[in-house]
Amino acid sequence: MTDIEKTADPADTPPAGAEAIKAIPVRHYGRYVTAVIAIALLVAIIYAFGQGKINWHAVPDYFFDDRIMTGVGKTLLLTVLSMLIGIVGGIGLAVMRLSKNPVTSSIAWFYIWFFRGTPVLVQLFLWFNLGLVFEYINLGPIYKNYWSDFMTPLLTALLGLGLNEAAYMAEICRAGLLAVDEGQTEAAHALGMSHGRTLRRIVIPQAMRVIVPPTGNEVINMLKTTSLVAAVQYPELFRYAQDIGQNSGAPVEMYFLAAAWYLIMTSVLSVGQYYIERYYARGSSRSLPPTPWQKVRAHLTTFSSRKVAAA
């Protein structure tokens, strides 16, 4: 066998006497200007709050107060229960909305239209004050009681938040179900699977990839919306912070304390949302994005390797 010598392509060889091109990076002066303005605004805001008459020592003093911790627990409980009502109701409404039966489809449309078109606070007050319209709640031999005794602040909060959330979850679930190719349903029906089993085993698992991200946002939004139930006398984090602020003479400081707790809880939920989205993205992405811990470990490995190379 003879060796074939590779000759250089004349197009790749610069002409004689030609100088090498020197690449000069483009300078983005606008970025520097906006960065300076943003930093200046941040410093001005911090300075303004530092000069204000705020007793910052009251925040750590009451941060782990028993009433505050009770409020945190009730806020989380209310968030979980309201989201359960919203998710279950949203799935049912989405199936009704996609039904070929015009009656069920119209009922679902009307429900979504009403609850999405009225503010949550108005709905809470409606549930709370229905005792002015109905003196009793009468379910026949099952249950009968005064409306004021039946509609407790907790039940008012669950109905106001959960039923409103079901309208939004219905649209999220409907979008997820429509994102699944119709061929999947047709193939399942061809194999003899019923409509309900097709939804449970074929359609809904594939739709979760579309449903999970906005549902995570709804959970975080629900956590913050629970602060509205203070208006119907349900004691949660915001209500307890208000009471402590009025009794201690530090109302603004307690609002900052409540805001800090909301930030902590929403941050924890955001981390959980990230891992749930990553779990359901396994079938659609060839390579999953690295987790925060994997990014930190990769940076530490790169730093140690550079240190060894320098030594």
Side-chain angles (χ1 to χ4, degrees), residues 8 13 21 31 34 40 50 68 86 98 115 135 156 176 194 203 222 227 231 248 253 259 282 294 300:
T13 306
I21 298 175
R31 298 179 182 178
T34 53
I68 294 295
L98 296 174
F115 281 94
E135 184 178 1
T156 302
S194 63
V203 178
M222 176 62 72
S227 59
S248 64
E253 291 81 353
R282 292 179 304 172
Q294 290 174 344
L300 291 176

Side-chain angles (χ1 to χ4, degrees), residues 45-60 249-257:
I45 293 172
I46 294 174
Y47 177 78
F49 277 99
Q51 296 299 313
K53 296 180 180 180
I54 301 176
N55 182 16
W56 293 108
H57 296 289
V59 176
V252 177
E253 291 81 353
M254 293 303 101
Y255 292 147
F256 280 115
L257 185 149

Side-chain angles (χ1 to χ4, degrees), residues 65-189:
D65 187 86
D66 292 339
R67 291 166 291 179
I68 294 295
M69 299 308 296
T70 302
V72 170
K74 290 188 175 182
T75 296
L76 291 174
L77 176 64
L78 188 58
T79 301
V80 172
L81 295 179
S82 299
M83 282 306 303
L84 285 176
I85 295 173
I87 292 173
V88 174
I91 294 174
L93 287 168
V95 174
M96 291 172 62
R97 188 84 168 81
L98 296 174
S99 174
K100 296 180 181 179
N101 188 330
V103 176
T104 56
S105 179
S106 299
I107 292 174
W109 178 88
F110 179 81
Y111 181 100
I112 295 169
W113 169 77
F114 177 80
F115 281 94
R116 289 206 310 167
T118 54
V120 181
L121 189 59
V122 174
Q123 296 174 29
L124 287 170
F125 276 114
L126 280 174
W127 286 111
F128 191 66
N129 292 285
L130 278 180
L132 301 175
V133 181
F134 304 103
E135 184 178 1
Y136 297 96
I137 177 171
N138 190 354
L139 301 179
I142 301 176
Y143 183 80
K144 183 179 180 180
N145 200 351
Y146 287 102
W147 187 272
S148 57
D149 295 334
F150 167 74
M151 190 59 65
T152 61
L154 176 60
L155 184 59
T156 302
L158 290 177
L159 290 175
L161 297 179
L163 296 182
N164 179 78
E165 184 61 32
Y168 289 91
M169 285 303 304
E171 292 298 282
I172 293 173
C173 294
R174 185 171 70 92
L177 295 176
L178 291 175
V180 180
D181 188 77
E182 293 183 0
Q184 301 285 328
T185 303
E186 294 174 356
H189 289 168

